[in-house]
PDB file of all heavy atoms in Angstrom:
ATOM      1  N   LYS M1067       9.909  25.348   8.346  1.00  0.00           N
ATOM      2  CA  LYS M1067      10.140  26.061   9.606  1.00  0.00           C
ATOM      3  C   LYS M1067      10.876  25.121  10.590  1.00  0.00           C
ATOM      4  O   LYS M1067      11.836  25.573  11.304  1.00  0.00           O
ATOM      5  CB  LYS M1067       8.772  26.425  10.202  1.00  0.00           C
ATOM      6  CG  LYS M1067       8.159  27.656   9.515  1.00  0.00           C
ATOM      7  CD  LYS M1067       6.854  28.089  10.249  1.00  0.00           C
ATOM      8  CE  LYS M1067       6.305  29.338   9.547  1.00  0.00           C
ATOM      9  NZ  LYS M1067       5.049  29.798  10.207  1.00  0.00           N
ATOM     10  N   TRP M1068      10.498  23.896  10.699  1.00  0.00           N
ATOM     11  CA  TRP M1068      11.136  22.942  11.613  1.00  0.00           C
ATOM     12  C   TRP M1068      12.600  22.737  11.226  1.00  0.00           C
ATOM     13  O   TRP M1068      13.472  22.563  12.058  1.00  0.00           O
ATOM     14  CB  TRP M1068      10.375  21.617  11.673  1.00  0.00           C
ATOM     15  CG  TRP M1068       9.096  21.714  12.396  1.00  0.00           C
ATOM     16  CD1 TRP M1068       8.689  22.571  13.343  1.00  0.00           C
ATOM     17  CD2 TRP M1068       7.889  20.950  12.088  1.00  0.00           C
ATOM     18  NE1 TRP M1068       7.432  22.429  13.718  1.00  0.00           N
ATOM     19  CE2 TRP M1068       6.874  21.420  12.963  1.00  0.00           C
ATOM     20  CE3 TRP M1068       7.552  19.898  11.180  1.00  0.00           C
ATOM     21  CZ2 TRP M1068       5.618  20.851  12.942  1.00  0.00           C
ATOM     22  CZ3 TRP M1068       6.309  19.428  11.212  1.00  0.00           C
ATOM     23  CH2 TRP M1068       5.334  19.800  12.076  1.00  0.00           C
ATOM     24  N   ALA M1069      12.838  22.685   9.918  1.00  0.00           N
ATOM     25  CA  ALA M1069      14.245  22.504   9.410  1.00  0.00           C
ATOM     26  C   ALA M1069      15.082  23.795   9.475  1.00  0.00           C
ATOM     27  O   ALA M1069      16.338  23.668   9.309  1.00  0.00           O
ATOM     28  CB  ALA M1069      14.217  21.906   8.052  1.00  0.00           C
ATOM     29  N   GLY M1070      14.426  24.915   9.555  1.00  0.00           N
ATOM     30  CA  GLY M1070      15.213  26.206   9.555  1.00  0.00           C
ATOM     31  C   GLY M1070      15.594  26.618   8.138  1.00  0.00           C
ATOM     32  O   GLY M1070      16.515  27.352   7.926  1.00  0.00           O
ATOM     33  N   ALA M1071      14.703  26.140   7.201  1.00  0.00           N
ATOM     34  CA  ALA M1071      15.025  26.467   5.738  1.00  0.00           C
ATOM     35  C   ALA M1071      14.325  27.758   5.435  1.00  0.00           C
ATOM     36  O   ALA M1071      13.109  27.881   5.568  1.00  0.00           O
ATOM     37  CB  ALA M1071      14.564  25.351   4.798  1.00  0.00           C
ATOM     38  N   GLU M1072      15.098  28.802   4.929  1.00  0.00           N
ATOM     39  CA  GLU M1072      14.488  30.101   4.647  1.00  0.00           C
ATOM     40  C   GLU M1072      14.065  30.148   3.148  1.00  0.00           C
ATOM     41  O   GLU M1072      13.388  31.095   2.731  1.00  0.00           O
ATOM     42  CB  GLU M1072      15.524  31.180   5.011  1.00  0.00           C
ATOM     43  CG  GLU M1072      15.763  31.257   6.454  1.00  0.00           C
ATOM     44  CD  GLU M1072      16.837  32.253   6.792  1.00  0.00           C
ATOM     45  OE1 GLU M1072      17.384  32.922   5.854  1.00  0.00           O
ATOM     46  OE2 GLU M1072      17.180  32.422   8.050  1.00  0.00           O
ATOM     47  N   SER M1073      14.551  29.224   2.311  1.00  0.00           N
ATOM     48  CA  SER M1073      14.196  29.314   0.917  1.00  0.00           C
ATOM     49  C   SER M1073      13.970  27.843   0.428  1.00  0.00           C
ATOM     50  O   SER M1073      14.292  26.898   1.038  1.00  0.00           O
ATOM     51  CB  SER M1073      15.385  29.926   0.051  1.00  0.00           C
ATOM     52  OG  SER M1073      16.553  29.110   0.215  1.00  0.00           O
ATOM     53  N   ILE M1074      13.285  27.792  -0.776  1.00  0.00           N
ATOM     54  CA  ILE M1074      12.959  26.531  -1.368  1.00  0.00           C
ATOM     55  C   ILE M1074      13.220  26.595  -2.845  1.00  0.00           C
ATOM     56  O   ILE M1074      12.904  27.524  -3.526  1.00  0.00           O
ATOM     57  CB  ILE M1074      11.493  26.126  -1.067  1.00  0.00           C
ATOM     58  CG1 ILE M1074      11.158  24.767  -1.611  1.00  0.00           C
ATOM     59  CG2 ILE M1074      10.540  27.223  -1.593  1.00  0.00           C
ATOM     60  CD1 ILE M1074       9.876  24.194  -1.018  1.00  0.00           C
ATOM     61  N   VAL M1075      13.864  25.534  -3.330  1.00  0.00           N
ATOM     62  CA  VAL M1075      14.048  25.329  -4.800  1.00  0.00           C
ATOM     63  C   VAL M1075      12.968  24.464  -5.326  1.00  0.00           C
ATOM     64  O   VAL M1075      12.575  23.397  -4.728  1.00  0.00           O
ATOM     65  CB  VAL M1075      15.390  24.665  -5.065  1.00  0.00           C
ATOM     66  CG1 VAL M1075      15.581  24.311  -6.528  1.00  0.00           C
ATOM     67  CG2 VAL M1075      16.568  25.552  -4.522  1.00  0.00           C
ATOM     68  N   VAL M1076      12.303  24.819  -6.470  1.00  0.00           N
ATOM     69  CA  VAL M1076      11.194  24.058  -6.965  1.00  0.00           C
ATOM     70  C   VAL M1076      11.588  23.711  -8.419  1.00  0.00           C
ATOM     71  O   VAL M1076      11.404  24.516  -9.370  1.00  0.00           O
ATOM     72  CB  VAL M1076       9.915  24.843  -7.021  1.00  0.00           C
ATOM     73  CG1 VAL M1076       8.716  24.067  -7.537  1.00  0.00           C
ATOM     74  CG2 VAL M1076       9.593  25.347  -5.572  1.00  0.00           C
ATOM     75  N   PRO M1077      12.128  22.560  -8.689  1.00  0.00           N
ATOM     76  CA  PRO M1077      12.703  22.186  -9.974  1.00  0.00           C
ATOM     77  C   PRO M1077      11.762  21.656 -10.976  1.00  0.00           C
ATOM     78  O   PRO M1077      12.130  21.334 -12.131  1.00  0.00           O
ATOM     79  CB  PRO M1077      13.797  21.093  -9.621  1.00  0.00           C
ATOM     80  CG  PRO M1077      13.184  20.446  -8.433  1.00  0.00           C
ATOM     81  CD  PRO M1077      12.499  21.495  -7.701  1.00  0.00           C
ATOM     82  N   ASP M1078      10.438  21.544 -10.667  1.00  0.00           N
ATOM     83  CA  ASP M1078       9.451  21.005 -11.566  1.00  0.00           C
ATOM     84  C   ASP M1078       9.809  19.641 -12.061  1.00  0.00           C
ATOM     85  O   ASP M1078       9.759  19.326 -13.281  1.00  0.00           O
ATOM     86  CB  ASP M1078       9.180  21.943 -12.712  1.00  0.00           C
ATOM     87  CG  ASP M1078       7.924  21.579 -13.561  1.00  0.00           C
ATOM     88  OD1 ASP M1078       7.019  20.919 -12.998  1.00  0.00           O
ATOM     89  OD2 ASP M1078       7.808  22.016 -14.713  1.00  0.00           O
ATOM     90  N   LEU M1079      10.232  18.812 -11.149  1.00  0.00           N
ATOM     91  CA  LEU M1079      10.543  17.356 -11.429  1.00  0.00           C
ATOM     92  C   LEU M1079       9.694  16.473 -10.484  1.00  0.00           C
ATOM     93  O   LEU M1079       9.347  17.010  -9.385  1.00  0.00           O
ATOM     94  CB  LEU M1079      11.963  17.059 -11.273  1.00  0.00           C
ATOM     95  CG  LEU M1079      12.951  17.779 -12.268  1.00  0.00           C
ATOM     96  CD1 LEU M1079      14.394  17.615 -11.788  1.00  0.00           C
ATOM     97  CD2 LEU M1079      12.800  17.280 -13.640  1.00  0.00           C
ATOM     98  N   GLY M1080       9.425  15.232 -10.869  1.00  0.00           N
ATOM     99  CA  GLY M1080       8.647  14.455  -9.943  1.00  0.00           C
ATOM    100  C   GLY M1080       8.743  12.953 -10.412  1.00  0.00           C
ATOM    101  O   GLY M1080       9.603  12.520 -11.161  1.00  0.00           O
ATOM    102  N   LEU M1081       7.777  12.198  -9.745  1.00  0.00           N
ATOM    103  CA  LEU M1081       7.792  10.761 -10.031  1.00  0.00           C
ATOM    104  C   LEU M1081       7.765  10.342 -11.494  1.00  0.00           C
ATOM    105  O   LEU M1081       8.475   9.432 -11.909  1.00  0.00           O
ATOM    106  CB  LEU M1081       6.592  10.135  -9.271  1.00  0.00           C
ATOM    107  CG  LEU M1081       6.417   8.605  -9.378  1.00  0.00           C
ATOM    108  CD1 LEU M1081       7.614   7.855  -8.898  1.00  0.00           C
ATOM    109  CD2 LEU M1081       5.142   8.152  -8.679  1.00  0.00           C
ATOM    110  N   LYS M1082       6.976  11.082 -12.242  1.00  0.00           N
ATOM    111  CA  LYS M1082       6.815  10.712 -13.739  1.00  0.00           C
ATOM    112  C   LYS M1082       8.147  10.849 -14.430  1.00  0.00           C
ATOM    113  O   LYS M1082       8.502  10.042 -15.293  1.00  0.00           O
ATOM    114  CB  LYS M1082       5.787  11.659 -14.318  1.00  0.00           C
ATOM    115  CG  LYS M1082       6.052  13.135 -14.297  1.00  0.00           C
ATOM    116  CD  LYS M1082       4.899  13.980 -14.689  1.00  0.00           C
ATOM    117  CE  LYS M1082       5.324  15.442 -14.749  1.00  0.00           C
ATOM    118  NZ  LYS M1082       5.944  15.908 -13.527  1.00  0.00           N
ATOM    119  N   ASP M1083       8.980  11.858 -14.066  1.00  0.00           N
ATOM    120  CA  ASP M1083      10.315  12.006 -14.604  1.00  0.00           C
ATOM    121  C   ASP M1083      11.203  10.799 -14.242  1.00  0.00           C
ATOM    122  O   ASP M1083      12.028  10.316 -15.015  1.00  0.00           O
ATOM    123  CB  ASP M1083      10.932  13.314 -14.187  1.00  0.00           C
ATOM    124  CG  ASP M1083       9.983  14.446 -14.638  1.00  0.00           C
ATOM    125  OD1 ASP M1083       9.947  14.856 -15.781  1.00  0.00           O
ATOM    126  OD2 ASP M1083       9.290  15.036 -13.775  1.00  0.00           O
ATOM    127  N   GLY M1084      11.101  10.394 -12.960  1.00  0.00           N
ATOM    128  CA  GLY M1084      11.916   9.255 -12.494  1.00  0.00           C
ATOM    129  C   GLY M1084      11.519   7.977 -13.160  1.00  0.00           C
ATOM    130  O   GLY M1084      12.400   7.165 -13.438  1.00  0.00           O
ATOM    131  N   ILE M1085      10.211   7.839 -13.384  1.00  0.00           N
ATOM    132  CA  ILE M1085       9.742   6.631 -14.092  1.00  0.00           C
ATOM    133  C   ILE M1085      10.368   6.546 -15.549  1.00  0.00           C
ATOM    134  O   ILE M1085      10.823   5.541 -16.017  1.00  0.00           O
ATOM    135  CB  ILE M1085       8.238   6.560 -14.178  1.00  0.00           C
ATOM    136  CG1 ILE M1085       7.638   6.441 -12.713  1.00  0.00           C
ATOM    137  CG2 ILE M1085       7.751   5.404 -15.032  1.00  0.00           C
ATOM    138  CD1 ILE M1085       6.154   6.533 -12.650  1.00  0.00           C
ATOM    139  N   ILE M1086      10.305   7.669 -16.255  1.00  0.00           N
ATOM    140  CA  ILE M1086      10.828   7.713 -17.608  1.00  0.00           C
ATOM    141  C   ILE M1086      12.284   7.447 -17.576  1.00  0.00           C
ATOM    142  O   ILE M1086      12.802   6.613 -18.504  1.00  0.00           O
ATOM    143  CB  ILE M1086      10.505   9.073 -18.274  1.00  0.00           C
ATOM    144  CG1 ILE M1086       9.008   9.132 -18.654  1.00  0.00           C
ATOM    145  CG2 ILE M1086      11.367   9.296 -19.519  1.00  0.00           C
ATOM    146  CD1 ILE M1086       8.536  10.429 -19.297  1.00  0.00           C
ATOM    147  N   GLN M1087      13.010   7.968 -16.675  1.00  0.00           N
ATOM    148  CA  GLN M1087      14.460   7.645 -16.577  1.00  0.00           C
ATOM    149  C   GLN M1087      14.673   6.173 -16.343  1.00  0.00           C
ATOM    150  O   GLN M1087      15.587   5.614 -16.909  1.00  0.00           O
ATOM    151  CB  GLN M1087      15.058   8.501 -15.464  1.00  0.00           C
ATOM    152  CG  GLN M1087      16.568   8.380 -15.392  1.00  0.00           C
ATOM    153  CD  GLN M1087      17.188   9.494 -14.465  1.00  0.00           C
ATOM    154  OE1 GLN M1087      17.216  10.652 -14.783  1.00  0.00           O
ATOM    155  NE2 GLN M1087      17.687   9.036 -13.294  1.00  0.00           N
ATOM    156  N   LEU M1088      13.866   5.564 -15.494  1.00  0.00           N
ATOM    157  CA  LEU M1088      13.962   4.122 -15.253  1.00  0.00           C
ATOM    158  C   LEU M1088      13.649   3.283 -16.472  1.00  0.00           C
ATOM    159  O   LEU M1088      14.381   2.354 -16.742  1.00  0.00           O
ATOM    160  CB  LEU M1088      12.999   3.762 -14.048  1.00  0.00           C
ATOM    161  CG  LEU M1088      12.987   2.255 -13.733  1.00  0.00           C
ATOM    162  CD1 LEU M1088      14.356   1.725 -13.264  1.00  0.00           C
ATOM    163  CD2 LEU M1088      11.864   1.989 -12.704  1.00  0.00           C
ATOM    164  N   VAL M1089      12.607   3.688 -17.236  1.00  0.00           N
ATOM    165  CA  VAL M1089      12.255   3.001 -18.421  1.00  0.00           C
ATOM    166  C   VAL M1089      13.399   3.060 -19.436  1.00  0.00           C
ATOM    167  O   VAL M1089      13.763   2.054 -20.066  1.00  0.00           O
ATOM    168  CB  VAL M1089      10.925   3.585 -19.118  1.00  0.00           C
ATOM    169  CG1 VAL M1089      10.699   2.947 -20.445  1.00  0.00           C
ATOM    170  CG2 VAL M1089       9.769   3.312 -18.144  1.00  0.00           C
ATOM    171  N   TYR M1090      14.044   4.220 -19.609  1.00  0.00           N
ATOM    172  CA  TYR M1090      15.153   4.329 -20.449  1.00  0.00           C
ATOM    173  C   TYR M1090      16.360   3.446 -20.049  1.00  0.00           C
ATOM    174  O   TYR M1090      16.983   2.800 -20.882  1.00  0.00           O
ATOM    175  CB  TYR M1090      15.628   5.805 -20.600  1.00  0.00           C
ATOM    176  CG  TYR M1090      16.858   5.967 -21.498  1.00  0.00           C
ATOM    177  CD1 TYR M1090      16.657   5.964 -22.885  1.00  0.00           C
ATOM    178  CD2 TYR M1090      18.086   6.076 -20.969  1.00  0.00           C
ATOM    179  CE1 TYR M1090      17.790   6.008 -23.695  1.00  0.00           C
ATOM    180  CE2 TYR M1090      19.218   6.212 -21.752  1.00  0.00           C
ATOM    181  CZ  TYR M1090      19.070   6.196 -23.174  1.00  0.00           C
ATOM    182  OH  TYR M1090      20.186   6.315 -23.960  1.00  0.00           O
ATOM    183  N   SER M1091      16.609   3.420 -18.802  1.00  0.00           N
ATOM    184  CA  SER M1091      17.713   2.640 -18.242  1.00  0.00           C
ATOM    185  C   SER M1091      17.430   1.167 -18.481  1.00  0.00           C
ATOM    186  O   SER M1091      18.284   0.382 -18.929  1.00  0.00           O
ATOM    187  CB  SER M1091      17.854   2.821 -16.760  1.00  0.00           C
ATOM    188  OG  SER M1091      18.790   1.997 -16.161  1.00  0.00           O
ATOM    189  N   ARG M1092      16.142   0.757 -18.361  1.00  0.00           N
ATOM    190  CA  ARG M1092      15.767  -0.638 -18.552  1.00  0.00           C
ATOM    191  C   ARG M1092      15.993  -1.051 -20.105  1.00  0.00           C
ATOM    192  O   ARG M1092      16.474  -2.059 -20.365  1.00  0.00           O
ATOM    193  CB  ARG M1092      14.316  -0.778 -18.219  1.00  0.00           C
ATOM    194  CG  ARG M1092      13.745  -2.205 -18.221  1.00  0.00           C
ATOM    195  CD  ARG M1092      12.362  -2.251 -17.625  1.00  0.00           C
ATOM    196  NE  ARG M1092      11.413  -1.412 -18.460  1.00  0.00           N
ATOM    197  CZ  ARG M1092      10.110  -1.201 -18.018  1.00  0.00           C
ATOM    198  NH1 ARG M1092       9.745  -1.702 -16.831  1.00  0.00           N
ATOM    199  NH2 ARG M1092       9.341  -0.524 -18.728  1.00  0.00           N
ATOM    200  N   LEU M1093      15.580  -0.108 -20.935  1.00  0.00           N
ATOM    201  CA  LEU M1093      15.782  -0.360 -22.416  1.00  0.00           C
ATOM    202  C   LEU M1093      17.274  -0.429 -22.752  1.00  0.00           C
ATOM    203  O   LEU M1093      17.635  -1.210 -23.572  1.00  0.00           O
ATOM    204  CB  LEU M1093      15.080   0.700 -23.216  1.00  0.00           C
ATOM    205  CG  LEU M1093      13.586   0.578 -23.496  1.00  0.00           C
ATOM    206  CD1 LEU M1093      13.059   1.748 -24.225  1.00  0.00           C
ATOM    207  CD2 LEU M1093      13.254  -0.681 -24.143  1.00  0.00           C
ATOM    208  N   SER M1094      18.029   0.424 -22.178  1.00  0.00           N
ATOM    209  CA  SER M1094      19.446   0.453 -22.513  1.00  0.00           C
ATOM    210  C   SER M1094      20.138  -0.808 -22.056  1.00  0.00           C
ATOM    211  O   SER M1094      20.966  -1.322 -22.747  1.00  0.00           O
ATOM    212  CB  SER M1094      20.144   1.684 -21.794  1.00  0.00           C
ATOM    213  OG  SER M1094      19.601   2.923 -22.240  1.00  0.00           O
ATOM    214  N   LYS M1095      19.777  -1.340 -20.909  1.00  0.00           N
ATOM    215  CA  LYS M1095      20.344  -2.678 -20.414  1.00  0.00           C
ATOM    216  C   LYS M1095      19.957  -3.770 -21.371  1.00  0.00           C
ATOM    217  O   LYS M1095      20.767  -4.659 -21.630  1.00  0.00           O
ATOM    218  CB  LYS M1095      19.826  -2.939 -18.989  1.00  0.00           C
ATOM    219  CG  LYS M1095      20.515  -1.989 -17.962  1.00  0.00           C
ATOM    220  CD  LYS M1095      19.951  -2.331 -16.628  1.00  0.00           C
ATOM    221  CE  LYS M1095      20.566  -1.325 -15.582  1.00  0.00           C
ATOM    222  NZ  LYS M1095      19.940  -1.633 -14.217  1.00  0.00           N
ATOM    223  N   LYS M1096      18.688  -3.798 -21.878  1.00  0.00           N
ATOM    224  CA  LYS M1096      18.260  -4.826 -22.859  1.00  0.00           C
ATOM    225  C   LYS M1096      19.111  -4.765 -24.073  1.00  0.00           C
ATOM    226  O   LYS M1096      19.477  -5.751 -24.659  1.00  0.00           O
ATOM    227  CB  LYS M1096      16.844  -4.647 -23.046  1.00  0.00           C
ATOM    228  CG  LYS M1096      15.824  -5.109 -21.942  1.00  0.00           C
ATOM    229  CD  LYS M1096      14.460  -4.897 -22.413  1.00  0.00           C
ATOM    230  CE  LYS M1096      13.498  -5.349 -21.314  1.00  0.00           C
ATOM    231  NZ  LYS M1096      12.041  -5.175 -21.677  1.00  0.00           N
ATOM    232  N   ALA M1097      19.309  -3.502 -24.569  1.00  0.00           N
ATOM    233  CA  ALA M1097      20.092  -3.328 -25.831  1.00  0.00           C
ATOM    234  C   ALA M1097      21.510  -3.833 -25.702  1.00  0.00           C
ATOM    235  O   ALA M1097      22.035  -4.377 -26.643  1.00  0.00           O
ATOM    236  CB  ALA M1097      20.031  -1.854 -26.202  1.00  0.00           C
ATOM    237  N   LYS M1098      22.107  -3.620 -24.538  1.00  0.00           N
ATOM    238  CA  LYS M1098      23.510  -4.028 -24.340  1.00  0.00           C
ATOM    239  C   LYS M1098      23.609  -5.575 -24.290  1.00  0.00           C
ATOM    240  O   LYS M1098      24.681  -6.084 -24.638  1.00  0.00           O
ATOM    241  CB  LYS M1098      24.042  -3.461 -23.020  1.00  0.00           C
ATOM    242  CG  LYS M1098      24.304  -1.910 -23.115  1.00  0.00           C
ATOM    243  CD  LYS M1098      24.797  -1.381 -21.801  1.00  0.00           C
ATOM    244  CE  LYS M1098      24.994   0.151 -21.860  1.00  0.00           C
ATOM    245  NZ  LYS M1098      25.457   0.672 -20.542  1.00  0.00           N
TER     246      LYS M1098
END
Side-chain angles (χ1 to χ4, degrees):
K1067 285 183 175 179
W1068 290 331
E1072 298 177 355
S1073 62
I1074 183 168
V1075 174
V1076 184
D1078 193 21
L1079 295 168
L1081 179 59
K1082 59 191 185 310
D1083 303 283
I1085 294 171
I1086 285 177
Q1087 187 168 290
L1088 177 62
V1089 172
Y1090 178 77
S1091 176
R1092 185 172 64 188
L1093 278 179
S1094 298
K1095 289 177 181 178
K1096 285 183 181 179
K1098 289 179 181 178

